[in-house]
Amino acid sequence: MTATEATGAAAPAGTASHRAAPVHVHPREVSLEAALLALADPVRRTLVRELAASGPWERTCGTFDVPVTKATLSRHFSVLREAGLLEQKDAGARRLNRLREEEFDERFPGLLALALREEG
């Protein structure tokens, strides 16, 4: 694993990776409205539930069984990142995911636990 892959940083110019590095927002920078909107969508709640049931950095983007196109799934991941719920890093051709459960709960105590309990 290269240093770039280990840190999740963007690959240097001229390397094989052509994807832009994901932009992350820390939960302390997120409004309650943005957090609620991110958790309001049933597909995003499914993604969050599946991430909560997995270890950090275990799930790649393509391993979620949700009834949406790849482009729509990408948008859902973006919304979760912007709400401070998701952190992603690239590892070669794969993008790994981590639920920012502890950080999010620090900002919005109990909100994530409530969303994880709801079934739809």
Side-chain angles (χ1 to χ4, degrees):
M1 179 180 287
T2 68
T4 297
E5 292 168 343
T7 62
T15 61
S17 178
H18 298 291
R19 291 190 299 186
V23 175
H24 297 97
V25 176
H26 194 280
R28 70 176 162 262
E29 301 170 12
V30 174
S31 69
L32 177 59
E33 180 181 15
L36 291 171
L37 286 172
L39 291 168
D41 185 273
V43 170
R44 289 194 288 270
R45 283 196 310 276
T46 297
L47 297 174
V48 168
R49 272 191 213 95
E50 289 187 22
L51 283 169
S54 304
W57 309 119
E58 285 183 2
R59 299 291 299 268
T60 61
C61 293
T63 63
F64 295 89
D65 186 26
V66 289
V68 297
T69 65
K70 286 175 83 174
T72 300
L73 182 59
S74 180
R75 178 65 189 140
H76 283 303
F77 283 130
S78 178
V79 170
L80 292 172
R81 282 194 317 269
E82 292 166 6
L85 280 156
L86 179 67
E87 186 176 10
Q88 295 179 309
K89 68 179 180 180
D90 290 337
R94 302 177 317 147
R95 182 161 283 173
L96 302 172
N97 298 280
R98 177 182 81 88
L99 182 63
R100 299 179 80 171
E101 195 165 357
E102 189 174 304
E103 302 102 305
F104 192 83
D105 196 49
E106 191 175 295
R107 172 74 170 110
F108 303 105
L111 181 58
L112 188 54
L114 177 63
L116 291 173
R117 274 197 310 266
E118 295 297 316
E119 282 301 319

